[in-house]
Amino acid sequence: MFTMSRRAVLGSAAAAAAFGLSSKLEFVMPALAAAPLEPMVGFFKYKVGDVEVTAIYDGIWKKPHDPTFIKNASIEDTKEALSKAGLTTEFMPIPLTVVVLKLGDRLIMMDAGSGVGQWQANATHLPANMAAAGIDYKKIDTIMLSHFHPDHVWGLMEKGTNDPVFPNAELIVNAVEYNWWTEPGRVEKLAEGRKPAGKRIADVFPKWKNWRLVDDGAEVAPGIRLLAAPGHTPGHSTYLVISGSKQLLVSADIMYVPALLAPHPEWQGSYDQDGPMAIDTRRRLIDRIIADNIAICGSHFPFPGSGTFVKDGSAYGFTPTIQA
């Protein structure tokens, strides 16, 4: 059974069913209106079958509005979408949540966060919130990485020195992603704005010996399978967690700002390396979680980073989990 350790409010009977709850819950409208910009408590625990899931708040990017952020939508379009979702229109709110799975005595971290102050100045909360949740980062034995964007992997490296934060943890990633970023000559091919990140990856990651490169569909731990989700990056991947009759898709960045991309799944983000492919991936996986009644969490969903999707014509409706 899918249970919450704190009371959560979801947006419909379908949402209640998706999360294994027995009764219809109050409908929240606008869908995101009750979701606070930043949480009062920085961690949230729930279960998927026998797997304990801890969502841990890292911080938020209060991104200034930028006409290039969504390639095929204007600032006015994105502000309208935010307003309809009950979110601020003063800036683009992009929170970051990191998930830790407990399988028996094993601790598995899904992405490594942005590193204290390495991605955004106010994305500094992961270590303290992890400790508050009772998780000792030194006991993390596996890190499953979705892709190599800074907000997902800078937490692997110490600020200033690039020393590994998790030298003894196994690092699992789609081989396509690793090989693309570390290919000789890759840095020179990157756009100017991405070259510093590309150089850091190329200089540091190949020196580490604790990588495990896997292919699409690989079972990377008992009940956890990597599913390729390309477009955002060449080897961007999600992870499907199965325990008993319950499933959870750790979806990373396929739907990174649901307030924008749920009602407008055809919008192409500037951080999507292949926009049309990202759109195809988004539709394929969101359609699957709806059809198969799979729970979902996302790195940039409103904290605690989980919610439910429903079909809305050719688009989607999204209702977040609301932390009480």
Side-chain angles (χ1 to χ4, degrees):
M1 180 178 178
F2 190 105
T3 59
M4 296 287 184
S5 64
R6 288 183 173 83
R7 184 176 61 86
V9 180
L10 302 174
S12 67
F19 283 86
L21 303 175
S22 58
S23 60
K24 183 176 180 179
L25 299 176
E26 178 184 358
F27 187 77
V28 178
M29 190 68 185
L32 302 182
L37 190 62
E38 295 196 72
M40 297 295 292
V41 178
F43 68 92
F44 187 83
K45 292 180 182 286
Y46 55 93
K47 295 197 77 175
V48 176
D50 293 329
V51 179
E52 182 180 87
V53 183
T54 304
I56 306 165
Y57 181 70
D58 190 5
I60 188 169
W61 183 12
K62 298 178 180 180
K63 183 181 180 353
H65 287 290
D66 176 357
T68 68
F69 178 57
I70 301 295
K71 298 176 184 177
N72 50 341
S74 67
I75 289 177
E76 290 71 24
D77 292 334
T78 58
K79 283 185 175 181
E80 182 181 3
L82 291 172
S83 179
K84 286 181 177 178
L87 294 175
T88 181
T89 61
E90 294 181 13
F91 49 81
M92 184 62 62
I94 306 178
L96 177 60
T97 297
V98 174
V99 165
V100 175
L101 307 177
K102 185 177 182 182
L103 284 71
D105 295 330
R106 186 175 181 182
L107 288 175
I108 300 174
M109 194 171 179
M110 312 303 286
D111 285 332
S114 61
V116 176
Q118 297 185 58
W119 174 55
Q120 299 297 319
N122 63 341
T124 61
H125 305 295
L126 187 63
N129 287 335
M130 186 177 289
I135 297 172
D136 182 352
Y137 79 94
K138 295 180 180 178
K139 294 183 179 179
I140 299 289
D141 52 34
T142 304
I143 302 175
M144 298 182 181
L145 297 157
S146 62
H147 64 299
F148 281 178
H149 280 171
D151 50 321
H152 297 260
V153 297
W154 272 192
L156 294 173
M157 296 174 281
E158 297 285 0
K159 186 176 182 179
T161 66
N162 290 336
D163 289 341
V165 175
F166 304 93
N168 300 315
E170 180 181 47
L171 307 178
I172 296 175
V173 70
N174 188 334
V176 173
E177 184 75 358
Y178 182 92
N179 292 334
W180 191 90
W181 285 96
T182 59
E183 177 188 38
R186 173 59 58 196
V187 175
E188 290 73 23
K189 298 175 185 176
L190 294 173
E192 285 301 318
R194 295 191 175 190
K195 283 183 178 178
K199 185 176 188 307
R200 190 182 190 194
I201 289 168
D203 288 348
V204 176
F205 285 3
K207 296 177 182 178
W208 296 351
K209 306 301 182 185
N210 49 335
W211 289 105
R212 178 182 164 198
L213 308 185
V214 300
D215 297 324
D216 180 24
E219 186 175 38
V220 291
I224 304 178
R225 193 170 298 278
L226 180 145
L227 302 179
H232 189 60
T233 65
H236 180 268
S237 298
T238 62
Y239 291 87
L240 183 63
V241 181
I242 303 173
S243 180
S245 64
K246 298 302 176 182
Q247 301 181 66
L248 171 70
L249 185 71
V250 183
S251 70
D253 283 5
I254 65 166
M255 181 73 82
Y256 43 90
V257 184
L260 304 186
L261 299 182
H264 303 284
E266 76 285 357
W267 283 0
Q268 297 182 26
S270 60
Y271 298 106
D272 290 335
Q273 190 157 327
D274 185 326
M277 183 180 290
I279 291 169
D280 289 345
T281 292
R282 181 176 305 131
R283 289 189 178 280
R284 172 173 57 84
L285 288 175
I286 297 301
D287 286 347
R288 177 176 176 180
I289 65 122
I290 293 171
D292 294 348
N293 199 29
I294 299 171
I296 186 171
C297 62
S299 300
H300 303 298
F301 294 6
F303 189 79
S306 57
T308 57
F309 289 90
V310 294
K311 289 288 285 185
D312 182 12
S314 61
Y316 305 96
F318 174 75
T319 304
T321 303
I322 305 300
Q323 186 180 23

